[in-house]
Amino acid sequence: MVRRIRGPLPAVALVLVVLLAGCSGLPATDRQESASEPTVENFSYPSGWSQDGIADVPVALETHEATVNNTSRRSRLSIIDEDSNRTTVRAVDTESGTASVRWSDTLFGSDVHSYYSAEGVFEYDRTTGELTRRLDENWTQDRVASHERLRLQRSLSELEANATETVTVEGTTAVRYNVTGIKDPLRVPAHNATGNVVVTEKGYIAEFNITRGNDGFTRQTRHDVSEFGNATVTRPAWMPEE
């Protein structure tokens, strides 16, 4: 029969317990707890945003623009209807002072690529092979992004949305919203909306995928910003050498 030890531990056992405790690392009182993961409750919402959705669309867009202005980045905006797909890809390289815009429309068969530099604006029609050079055009980075601003506003207006989770976008914390509907259908030409929106703690809209519609139409709008802070614009092969 095995007898259980009762009473004080023998001296050898006490020494063994002390040695094992020393191998466990720092004392419990000195151990550092790992930083807690960000949540939708403690996320640092940028101006124009809240846990309950888009608090103010104009302010949210101002915050977005203030964050991306003078920053190299690439963005894609696609508007998909039942009979067409219009996609615009913009790239801004602040280091070289260049930019490019490629616009395509499946409905009309258009595919135009523009390149902006100190030498002027070069526009190449990939469908016809025609190259247009506007050497005296005074372009700015803000002008390159101006059309995108209007599309973003139309896409985000009157959305019902709520923050559902935090994610990481290119090394920065962001929050993802679930789009559940339209706040006031009388103010926009849509009765329903679904999708998601991702905005970073820095304040720029990293991406969204929103489908709006009513009994007469359905439209999907997709947007994303990539290579934030390190995008480059290379000289197109079709651009003539000076």
Side-chain angles (χ1 to χ4, degrees), residues 44-64:
S44 297
Y45 291 92
S47 298
W49 302 85
S50 73
Q51 186 176 339
D52 297 325
I54 309 175
D56 190 314
V57 172
V59 173
L61 292 178
E62 288 175 4
T63 303
H64 171 82

Side-chain angles (χ1 to χ4, degrees), residues 72-115:
S72 298
R73 78 273 184 189
R74 188 178 304 276
S75 66
R76 177 186 296 269
L77 180 65
S78 297
I79 302 170
I80 304 168
D81 294 318
E82 296 178 356
D83 56 358
S84 69
N85 182 331
R86 286 161 287 172
T87 297
T88 305
V89 179
R90 293 177 173 85
V92 175
D93 185 346
T94 58
E95 292 296 322
S96 65
T98 57
S100 68
V101 177
R102 184 171 182 178
W103 180 79
S104 62
D105 187 335
T106 59
L107 180 61
F108 297 103
S110 302
D111 190 352
V112 178
H113 188 172
S114 301
Y115 178 79

Side-chain angles (χ1 to χ4, degrees), residues 217-235:
F217 83 99
T218 299
R219 174 173 296 165
Q220 181 185 17
T221 308
R222 301 175 62 181
H223 162 81
D224 67 80
V225 175
S226 61
E227 300 174 58
F228 184 78
N230 58 15
T232 58
V233 177
T234 57
R235 184 186 183 93

Side-chain angles (χ1 to χ4, degrees), residues 165-218:
E165 63 177 332
T166 55
V167 295
T168 301
V169 176
E170 296 193 358
T172 187
T173 305
V175 67
R176 185 191 303 276
Y177 291 87
N178 184 33
V179 177
T180 58
I182 299 292
K183 292 180 181 178
D184 187 353
L186 297 178
R187 296 174 62 92
V188 292
H191 296 160
N192 54 72
T194 58
N196 57 76
V197 182
V198 176
V199 61
T200 68
E201 226 170 24
K202 293 181 178 180
Y204 72 91
I205 303 166
E207 65 179 71
F208 63 69
N209 186 345
I210 301 168
T211 299
R212 293 170 175 259
N214 57 31
D215 295 336
F217 83 99
T218 299

